[in-house]
């Protein structure tokens, strides 16, 4: 079988395979088959320049395909971060005190950006913070936010 393939598979077969894979890629839009098609075209060009056996061509095609897939994974994929179930606040989020906060008791703070979907929160502090003072988040304790003067 390998002898038959060595005699019958020519350089242009690889280029046709590569073009077919590129056309298939245009229909899928995943960019995965793109590397396989380009690798086949490169093998066809190499086979035209340097005649080689079918097994060598297959090995080169597989190596180039794996290299292309690795490059795609490394440089072109974006890390997806899901906000589902996650808080989207940062400790640098600033707010304004709307109810005075005494040490170790509760007051109210309105934040500039929503914290877990809400802008007004019950807050505590280790020091006394007067109304209309600017504060930032120290820590979140469930439904209670600890703040400090900015």
């Amino acid at each position: 079988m390998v002898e038959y393939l060595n005699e019958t598979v020519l350089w242009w077969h690889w280029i046709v395979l590569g073009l077919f894979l590129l056309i298939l890629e245009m229909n899928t839009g995943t960019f995965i088959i793109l590397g396989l098609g380009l690798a086949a075209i490169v093998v066809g060009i190499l086979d035209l320049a340097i005649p080689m056996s079918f097994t060598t061509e297959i090995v080169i095609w597989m190596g180039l395909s794996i290299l292309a897939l690795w490059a795609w994974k490394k440089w072109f994929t974006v890390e997806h971060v899901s906000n589902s179930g996650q808080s989207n606040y940062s400790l640098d989020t600033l707010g304004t005190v709307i109810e005075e906060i005494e040490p170790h008791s509760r007051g109210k703070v309105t934040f500039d950006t929503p914290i877990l979907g809400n802008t007004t929160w019950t807050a505590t502090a280790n020091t006394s913070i007067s109304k209309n003072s600017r504060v930032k988040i120290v820590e979140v304790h469930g439904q209670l936010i600890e703040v400090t003067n900015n």
Side-chain angles (χ1 to χ4, degrees), residues 2-30:
V2 174
E3 294 82 21
Y4 175 74
L5 292 173
N6 278 333
E7 295 170 7
T8 57
V9 176
L10 303 173
W11 63 270
W12 63 268
H13 291 115
W14 283 102
I15 293 178
V16 168
L17 173 66
L19 292 174
F20 172 75
L21 290 171
L22 291 178
I23 291 169
L24 185 64
E25 175 57 49
M26 286 191 276
N27 291 318
T28 61
T30 60

Side-chain angles (χ1 to χ4, degrees), residues 5 7 10-11 26 28 47 62-63 77 88 90 99 107 140:
L5 292 173
E7 295 170 7
L10 303 173
W11 63 270
M26 286 191 276
T28 61
D47 191 32
M62 288 188 327
T77 56
N88 55 356
S90 70
E99 277 183 24
V140 177

Side-chain angles (χ1 to χ4, degrees), residues 56-106:
T56 306
E57 293 168 358
I58 286 289
V59 169
I60 292 172
W61 179 69
M62 288 188 327
L64 290 175
S65 296
I66 290 170
L67 183 68
L69 291 173
W70 174 80
W72 175 252
K73 176 77 174 155
K74 180 165 175 60
W75 289 302
F76 295 108
T77 56
V78 177
E79 237 181 84
H80 297 286
V81 177
S82 171
N83 287 336
S84 174
Q86 301 291 320
S87 58
N88 55 356
Y89 72 91
S90 70
L91 294 178
D92 297 332
T93 302
L94 298 177
T96 305
V97 176
I98 56 174
E99 277 183 24
E100 185 175 342
I101 304 171
E102 292 298 324
H104 306 293
S105 67
R106 298 177 180 195

Side-chain angles (χ1 to χ4, degrees), residues 5 7 14 42 54 69 110 117 131 137:
L5 292 173
E7 295 170 7
W14 283 102
V42 168
F54 180 71
L69 291 173
T110 299
K131 189 175 179 179
I137 298 173

Side-chain angles (χ1 to χ4, degrees), residues 85-135:
Q86 301 291 320
S87 58
N88 55 356
Y89 72 91
S90 70
L91 294 178
D92 297 332
T93 302
L94 298 177
T96 305
V97 176
I98 56 174
E99 277 183 24
E100 185 175 342
I101 304 171
E102 292 298 324
H104 306 293
S105 67
R106 298 177 180 195
K108 295 248 184 221
V109 177
T110 299
F111 291 98
D112 299 340
T113 56
I115 309 297
L116 300 173
N118 216 349
T119 54
T120 303
W121 282 84
T122 302
T124 63
N126 292 331
T127 60
S128 182
I129 302 175
S130 61
K131 189 175 179 179
N132 296 326
S133 296
R134 295 292 285 168
V135 293

